[in-house]
Structures are given as structure tokens and as C-alpha cells.
Amino acid sequence: RVKRVWPDAVAVTVRERTVAATVLVGEALYIVDPDGEIFERHPEGKPLSTVLITGIAEEQVLSSRVLVEEELRRILQFLDRYEKMGLMAAASVGEIHRETGGGLVVYTRTEAREICFGKGQYIRKLKNLRLLLERLRKEKREWEYILLDSDSTPDRMIVKLR
């Protein structure tokens, strides 16, 4: 930001952006800040160091950037809750996919295991997931996918074991 300071000076304020995630829009990767703003193209060939967000259509970005930023903020808030509840140790997030209806699907960083959350009641579903993962760890059970996607019965969990 540049501001003129009377009588004969200019003040320049530089704010470095924080990278919160990477989003796939069409065929290109972009960097997203914590406010959900897409601000820079991800350098080609550079490995990802953040969670990848998918399911955002190029047409959405072109037609309604404000709504896309709102949606990205919602996804980042979900990711923040996921991290704060200590779930990254048990199921580290590699990708969050936004489904057409707005539901969220997490793919784990290792083995790309799928956790479907559906749309809404995320705190309750995250608490249930934490309890489930703790139980599976104690029982030394491996899982393939977990479904927490019922909005009418958010306590329902379906687990495919290995």
C-alpha cells in the first residue's frame, strides 16, 4: 500500500501473505491465503507443501470470486478445526475435495484414505472421528474409508476396515 505523506514523502506498507493452502482451479494450481483469497499461481514443478483443495471450478472463480473466497474460507476453517482437534497425527490431510453440493471429502496424505464429511455439523463429526480413530488405534485396526456424510444423522459412521 502506498500513501502520500504531506508535504514531501511517501509511505509504503508491505504485507507478506501467508500461504494457507493450494487450490486446483481448472488445470492450474494457485496459492490461497488464510482469508480464502487466491493470490498467486503455484510455481510449476515445485512440490506442494500445503493441503490441496480440489472441486473448485474455473467458471466459479471467473463468475463469482467473492463466493469462491467464502467457500475457501469455509474449507480453511474446517481444516483449522481438524488440526486443532489433533486429527492430523492420526489422519494427516493431503487433499480436501469440495463436492458439487458443498460436502467435503478428506484424502489422507499417506495412502490417500477417504473420509467423507458431507455438508455441515463438522464439529460434531470431527469429535466422532477423533473418538473412532482413537478406538481403531487402540484395537490396532486399519481402515480403508470412513463415511460421516449423513446430515440427518451426524453421529452415524460407516467404516470399511482392511
Side-chain angles (χ1 to χ4, degrees):
R1 202 171 100 190
V2 179
K3 180 180 174 185
R4 184 175 175 136
V5 181
W6 293 99
D8 59 355
V10 175
V12 178
T13 305
V14 177
R15 179 180 63 105
E16 185 175 356
R17 292 190 174 190
T18 304
V19 175
T22 305
V23 63
L24 179 65
V25 178
E27 304 266 329
L29 294 171
Y30 294 91
I31 299 170
V32 178
D33 72 9
D35 294 324
E37 188 175 336
I38 299 170
F39 68 91
E40 183 179 313
R41 192 164 181 159
H42 186 274
E44 275 192 49
K46 183 178 178 183
L48 295 180
S49 59
T50 63
V51 169
L52 176 64
I53 298 172
T54 59
I56 304 291
E58 192 171 11
E59 303 80 43
Q60 291 173 300
V61 175
L62 295 173
S63 67
S64 183
R65 195 169 184 105
V66 172
L67 290 176
V68 168
E69 288 175 5
E70 274 181 34
E71 189 62 10
L72 288 170
R73 271 193 302 276
R74 181 181 75 91
I75 294 168
L76 292 171
Q77 287 169 352
F78 168 85
L79 179 61
D80 184 58
R81 287 185 190 115
Y82 191 99
E83 289 173 344
K84 285 181 178 170
M85 293 182 92
L87 290 163
M88 284 297 216
S92 181
V93 177
E95 176 186 340
I96 298 178
H97 178 75
R98 182 196 176 275
E99 295 179 313
T100 304
L104 299 180
V105 179
V106 166
Y107 294 94
T108 61
R109 191 171 297 281
T110 56
E111 299 184 37
R113 295 177 185 176
E114 184 177 346
I115 308 171
C116 297
F117 285 93
K119 186 176 180 180
Q121 301 193 48
Y122 294 126
I123 292 174
R124 190 168 174 179
K125 291 175 181 180
L126 288 169
K127 287 178 182 177
N128 289 337
L129 177 63
R130 183 175 58 198
L131 293 172
L132 174 65
L133 291 176
E134 285 172 6
R135 181 174 175 186
L136 291 173
R137 184 185 51 78
K138 285 178 186 173
E139 294 176 4
K140 297 181 181 169
R141 304 290 305 265
E142 291 291 320
W143 55 277
E144 213 168 294
Y145 64 80
I146 299 171
L147 304 178
L148 301 137
D149 56 350
S150 174
D151 297 325
S152 59
T153 52
D155 292 325
R156 184 186 77 179
M157 295 181 282
I158 298 173
V159 182
K160 169 91 161 91
L161 298 172
R162 289 186 174 181

